[in-house]
Amino acid sequence: MIRVLLADDQSLVRSGFRMLIDSADDMETVGEVSNGADAVMMVRSQPVDVVLMDIRMPIMDGTEATRQITELGGETKVLVLTTFDLDEYVFAALRNGASGFLLKDALPDDLLGAIRTVAGGGAVVAPTATRRLLDHVAPKLPAGKPRDDSRLDGLTEREREVLMEVAHGANNAEIGSRLYMAEGTVKTHIGRLLAKLQARDRVGLVLIAHECGLLD
């Protein structure tokens, strides 16, 4: 069973998520908290596989809670829940170790699928959400590093092209179509990007692309 902790300061939101999660055969809600400090305490005190983490909460926000949970060094993964007016905080949470983000109006099946993906060690970067998110928050974010960032020096031209597509929210099929390559080849390039840039997942690639100024 995937053990899920709900961290959101709105009780109705938590109740809705709990009913959905507990209806799945392979997961269960192990707790509900209304602030980040309690989320950290809960993770310290009992096994939690995935934290559904709201960003703006009292006492301690989701960004700081994500950092502290990640620094515990356990197996707990954080899935950030966001609305567009708080997107600038999402990037901070991702930098602090969150395994992805999901919009609060996501379809039930998408939420359950995201929890399974994150629990299995994957990352959740919904292509359309990523694209809209980047378009929305780019003007609010600090300027990225110059394009000649040393982290990109070891990339081939093809790898740079794939990185740009990932950063703009394209999935593997879309990348293959746009760059005229098989999906298997796309996966190979992404694997090389993850290794060369020392990124944990696709979320990390998106952040690196932004920081290096590729999206300016």
Side-chain angles (χ1 to χ4, degrees):
M1 296 288 283
I2 301 172
R3 297 160 294 194
V4 182
L5 172 63
L6 306 177
D8 195 297
D9 63 342
Q10 298 183 43
S11 59
L12 286 177
V13 172
R14 296 197 308 271
S15 296
F17 286 149
R18 176 183 277 275
M19 286 189 293
L20 176 63
I21 291 167
D22 290 347
S23 70
D25 294 334
D26 60 343
M27 60 185 71
E28 62 179 344
T29 304
V30 295
E32 297 182 25
V33 295
S34 59
N35 62 76
D38 286 346
V40 176
M41 186 181 305
M42 186 76 75
V43 171
R44 287 179 179 272
S45 65
Q46 70 177 58
V48 175
D49 297 311
V50 178
V51 180
L52 285 187
M53 184 78 76
D54 190 20
I55 290 296
R56 181 168 289 181
M57 295 182 290
I59 304 177
M60 180 188 293
D61 65 23
T63 299
E64 176 61 19
T66 297
R67 184 187 69 79
Q68 293 193 22
I69 289 172
T70 301
E71 289 183 350
L72 291 176
E75 298 298 320
T76 304
K77 309 297 183 183
V78 177
L79 176 59
V80 174
L81 300 173
T82 178
T83 52
F84 282 136
D85 59 328
L86 300 179
D87 285 340
E88 61 268 29
Y89 297 97
V90 174
F91 275 78
L94 294 176
R95 290 190 183 98
N96 283 343
S99 294
F101 65 86
L102 197 68
L103 303 181
K104 281 191 173 181
D105 61 356
L107 295 174
D109 286 346
D110 291 340
L111 174 58
L112 295 178
I115 293 172
R116 295 184 181 104
T117 297
V118 169
V124 177
V125 185
T128 55
T130 305
R131 190 175 298 116
R132 292 167 63 191
L133 177 64
L134 291 172
D135 290 343
H136 183 81
V137 304
K140 304 178 183 178
L141 296 171
K145 297 179 181 179
R147 285 179 178 271
D148 62 352
D149 188 291
S150 60
R151 287 178 292 180
L152 305 183
D153 289 348
L155 302 186
T156 66
E157 185 61 32
R158 199 58 160 168
E159 287 167 349
R160 282 175 175 260
E161 292 175 344
V162 173
L163 178 59
M164 282 289 292
E165 293 294 336
V166 171
H168 282 99
N171 59 33
N172 289 353
E174 292 170 333
I175 295 173
S177 176
R178 294 171 186 172
L179 300 182
Y180 303 102
M181 63 175 71
E183 277 194 61
T185 305
V186 174
K187 292 180 181 178
T188 298
H189 282 304
I190 291 176
R192 289 173 180 167
L193 286 169
L194 292 172
K196 288 184 177 182
L197 298 177
Q198 297 183 332
R200 293 182 301 115
D201 44 44
R202 292 175 83 106
V203 173
L205 294 179
V206 173
L207 293 176
I208 289 170
H210 167 71
E211 291 168 354
C212 294
L214 293 183
L215 303 179
D216 293 345

